[in-house]
Amino acid sequence: MSVSHRRITLAGSVVGAAVVALDGTVLTIVQPTMQRDLHASFEQVQWTSTGYLIAVASLLVFSGRLGDRYGHRQVFAAGILGFGATSAVIGLASDIGWVIALRVAQGVFGALLQPATLGMLRAAFPSDRLGMPIALRTSVIGVAAASGPLAGGALAAQFGWRAVFLLNVVPALTIGLLVLAVRDPEPCDPESVDPKAGKPVSADPVSTDPEPAAASGARLDLAGACLLAVTLVCLVHTLVGMPEAGRAAVTAAGFAATVIAGVAFVRHERRTRCPLVPPEVLGSAAVASALGILVAGSAVLFGALFTGTYFLQDVLGLDPFHSALRALPGAVAMVLGAPVCAVLLRRCAPRRTAAVAMGLLALGALELSGLDRTSGAMAIGSGFLLVGAGFGAVMVTATAVVVRHAPAEHAGVAGGLQQTAMNIGPTLGVAAATTLTAFVGAAEVPGSATAPTLTVLAAVAAVGVLLTAALPGRTGAASPRPRAPVQAAGRAADNVSYACSKLVYGGGGGGENG
């Protein structure tokens, strides 16, 4: 694969992840203004976020499977072009109903592009050079998430809330058309020829997409996709509504529906000939543990941010801008820590790196739990710094394990699972923090729930440390997993040989919330 093709692929992956991250953060800033301008209720405005989240979470894995079947580049282009187009139309919407419907449609397109950003990287870069692209992607997600509120606030103050939805249109459409214009790379190096077969042999084991599922005759598991979508819709909707008072019965029913749909999905996947989530993916203990670590780490991060923000504003009396400044060390640590983690993964195994990262998350949550009315900027900033540094390293390491240890022909499904974890974790963390805050009774005594809530989140991070035991424990080691199909055996063996030694996870994965 040519250098220019790899650069365009990297640009597409980075811009796609940044567009999604930026969109989510700018929306939170303009929702009050949108509510007043469109004469909407608070619940209606909340559905502009909830509808998007449900659409994304329910379709990520199926979208990844579409990329494995039809090509990640094509699915990515469809997703980002649709995402940009719906952003433009939202900016012209006349009432809140249209905004909600278009946000759901935008969630569908977001689900298409997010797994493809990882699938394209997996296909474009050899295993020993995959790390820094992933780390760069992670850093850009952090920059977009941190700058989103500032950019959104400035645009909304100057031009109104509609302007923030136009922010993503030009970069989304530009990178989508550019990725579409690039020809697929040649399947191999023309100078490398198998002397026995007389056929060219790829010099780069992961530089081309594996044989699409459509070409091999495999069918899409539509029943499995529907069952997984129902499971995730029930879970996300229940978590989002859980903090509301008087919903105990509804919450219990939601969780029961989630369990029933989940069991039906697992039974179906075990019996079908072409499952949505192949056993080669979740059959790896390393991949399953990495996904659990992503859920735990993102839950701790967003739960700590939610709790810490309320402490800064309700207890210390800071305005939103100064609250953001106090928490800024966390965003800086995440952005700068991703490439550092990539370097550490060259020297240390994922198990050790992830354990230290989850430990930093736990220490940061514990430090924030000790804040009181006398706490200064140094104590507050250091707590957020530890949380940000820990999460940045967690996202890089765990995403690298998911991308590297899943077979290349299932890179889209692996990317979809990674993105699903990065959507479920934050929702779970905020729901848990809100529920704990209400349970302790913080409404009567502001700040009284800060310490117990953050202590519970630190315990969740400690559980994440235990999950790291299943990750690769030494450089050059590979976690056992079921064999990949025969046509991918050569590539899979090569990828496994690099699995830990060259994991420069510099930009990878995650998501991002992206």
Side-chain angles (χ1 to χ4, degrees), residues 23-367:
D23 178 83
T25 55
V26 298
L27 177 63
T28 59
I29 295 297
V30 302
Q31 280 179 329
T33 306
M34 180 194 300
Q35 179 180 353
R36 292 191 298 269
D37 187 45
L38 297 179
H39 308 290
S41 66
F42 177 76
E43 289 75 17
Q44 288 175 318
V45 171
Q46 285 298 102
W47 268 100
T48 62
S49 296
T50 303
Y52 175 88
L53 178 61
I54 288 175
V56 168
S58 62
L59 294 174
L60 282 167
V61 177
F62 182 65
S63 298
R65 187 63 175 149
L66 288 177
D68 291 334
R69 182 180 178 90
Y70 298 110
H72 300 295
R73 184 175 62 85
Q74 290 82 356
V75 173
F76 170 83
I80 198 165
L81 290 174
F83 195 94
T86 50
S87 291
V89 179
I90 289 172
L92 304 174
S94 58
D95 62 70
I96 192 65
W98 276 108
V99 174
I100 294 172
L102 289 167
R103 282 288 291 169
V104 172
Q106 195 174 40
V108 173
F109 289 116
L112 287 174
L113 78 90
Q114 289 185 58
T117 61
L118 289 175
M120 291 193 304
L121 289 180
R122 181 70 167 84
F125 289 88
S127 296
D128 60 341
R129 282 185 281 171
L130 186 63
M132 282 319 261
I134 292 180
L136 176 61
R137 182 176 177 276
T138 301
S139 294
V140 171
I141 289 172
V143 171
S147 61
L150 298 176
L155 283 173
Q158 198 72 18
F159 305 106
W161 65 268
R162 299 176 187 276
V164 303
F165 288 101
L166 304 178
L167 184 63
N168 286 327
V169 173
V170 173
L173 297 182
T174 301
I175 200 67
L177 293 174
L178 183 60
V179 169
L180 270 183
V182 175
R183 294 177 56 189
D184 285 324
E186 293 297 325
C188 61
D189 181 355
E191 296 181 1
S192 300
V193 179
D194 185 341
K196 295 182 178 180
K199 298 179 180 180
V201 178
S202 175
D204 184 345
V206 292
S207 62
T208 60
D209 284 319
E211 180 185 3
S216 63
R219 61 180 178 82
L220 288 174
D221 181 15
L222 296 180
C226 290
L227 287 171
L228 181 59
V230 170
T231 303
L232 292 173
V233 166
C234 292
L235 176 60
V236 172
H237 188 268
T238 302
L239 290 175
V240 170
M242 189 172 68
E244 298 179 16
R247 287 178 54 95
V250 176
T251 299
F255 281 125
T258 302
V259 171
I260 293 171
V263 170
F265 170 72
V266 171
R267 286 174 59 87
H268 170 79
E269 291 296 284
R270 287 180 174 178
R271 295 177 178 181
T272 187
R273 188 172 64 88
C274 301
L276 176 67
V277 182
E280 294 93 336
V281 179
L282 285 183
S284 165
V287 172
S289 297
L291 292 172
I293 290 167
L294 283 171
V295 172
S298 57
V300 173
L301 172 73
F302 280 83
L305 288 175
F306 178 87
T307 306
T309 299
Y310 269 89
F311 174 83
L312 294 175
Q313 295 186 23
D314 290 353
V315 177
L316 298 187
L318 299 178
D319 59 33
F321 178 74
H322 287 90
S323 297
L325 287 180
R326 296 291 177 91
L328 187 60
V332 174
M334 178 180 167
V335 171
L336 299 181
V340 173
C341 180
V343 174
L344 289 177
L345 278 171
R346 285 183 179 269
R347 306 173 184 273
C348 306
R351 181 188 303 168
R352 184 182 304 173
T353 306
V356 172
M358 292 301 294
L360 289 175
L361 261 177
L363 288 175
L366 285 175
E367 182 161 350

Side-chain angles (χ1 to χ4, degrees), residues 409-479:
E409 66 274 16
H410 301 312
V413 172
L417 290 170
Q418 188 269 352
Q419 294 289 339
T420 301
M422 292 298 298
N423 278 272
I424 297 298
T427 308
L428 178 62
V430 173
T434 307
T435 303
L436 287 169
T437 299
F439 179 77
V440 173
E444 291 76 19
V445 184
S448 61
T450 301
T453 299
L454 288 167
T455 301
V456 171
L457 292 172
V460 173
V463 172
V465 175
L466 299 179
L467 291 176
T468 64
L471 299 183
R474 57 188 177 85
T475 301
S479 296

